[in-house]
Amino acid sequence: METRPPLPPFTRETAIEKIRLAEDGWNSRDPARVALAYSQDTRWRNRVDFPRGRAEAQAMLERKWKRELEYRLIKELWAFDGNRIAVRFAYEWHDDGGQWYRSYGNENWEFGADGLMVHRHASINDMPIAESERKFFWALGRRPDGHPGLGELGL
């Protein structure tokens, strides 16, 4: 049986760990790797996309990272209870024309007993920014430990 620790029910510490693992995965920009954190029958709401199942979620991520270049993400805990976690996040990226964006949002996650995410509901807003307004400058990939979070960055 496939499992993805930490497993519910979540404590504050395990919810924060789960969020950081998700952030690290998404910052890899590897759709196949990210998709493994979701159940085979996962259900998403992501902007105008409503993927059903791991394969559709992976395909959505492939399209996303072809469009959202130099993607860097920070996620933070908002709330948790039992097998559910709510996060707020921001990420920066640019399009193929060089326009930078900061995307803000909230996600509600529900997990199975195996720790795989079965439901992901995301609300996301994109704000064009000047390159001089960027706040996320680490090398592509995992956000370094000790890098400021959203609160410390005034986001």
Side-chain angles (χ1 to χ4, degrees):
M1 180 177 167
E2 207 174 357
T3 61
R4 183 64 79 136
L7 306 177
F10 298 109
T11 64
R12 179 174 178 76
E13 292 75 24
T14 60
I16 290 170
E17 179 183 355
K18 193 75 157 178
I19 292 164
R20 183 58 192 244
L21 290 168
E23 176 188 310
D24 291 349
W26 282 65
N27 275 327
S28 77
R29 297 172 333 279
D30 179 342
R33 173 184 167 195
V34 173
L36 293 175
Y38 300 90
S39 67
Q40 290 291 342
D41 61 349
T42 192
R43 297 183 63 150
W44 288 19
R45 179 183 50 90
N46 192 90
R47 295 187 173 153
V48 299
D49 291 313
F50 294 81
R52 298 292 180 257
R54 188 183 281 172
E56 286 185 21
Q58 180 175 333
M60 190 215 77
L61 293 169
E62 289 167 359
R63 291 187 306 274
K64 171 187 180 62
W65 289 317
K66 284 181 182 170
R67 184 181 70 253
E68 297 178 357
L69 307 174
E70 295 194 57
Y71 175 98
R72 291 171 178 86
L73 165 74
I74 299 176
K75 292 182 181 277
E76 287 189 354
L77 176 66
W78 187 255
F80 71 95
D81 185 46
N83 68 336
R84 293 181 174 170
I85 299 174
V87 300
R88 68 186 197 101
F89 64 87
Y91 62 91
E92 293 180 349
W93 58 281
H94 69 82
D95 62 20
D96 58 4
Q99 173 61 58
W100 280 93
Y101 296 86
R102 185 172 304 119
S103 299
Y104 298 94
N106 300 291
E107 293 176 320
N108 296 315
W109 300 342
E110 183 176 346
F111 295 88
D114 56 9
L116 295 171
M117 194 181 301
V118 295
H119 292 282
R120 176 183 173 269
H121 302 282
S123 296
I124 307 166
N125 300 296
D126 300 320
M127 183 177 75
I129 60 172
E131 188 168 359
S132 62
E133 295 175 287
R134 292 180 54 213
K135 296 182 181 231
F136 302 174
F137 291 103
W138 65 88
L140 290 176
R142 186 178 192 277
R143 177 172 56 103
D145 292 335
H147 186 281
L150 297 177
E152 292 116 335
L153 291 170
L155 300 174

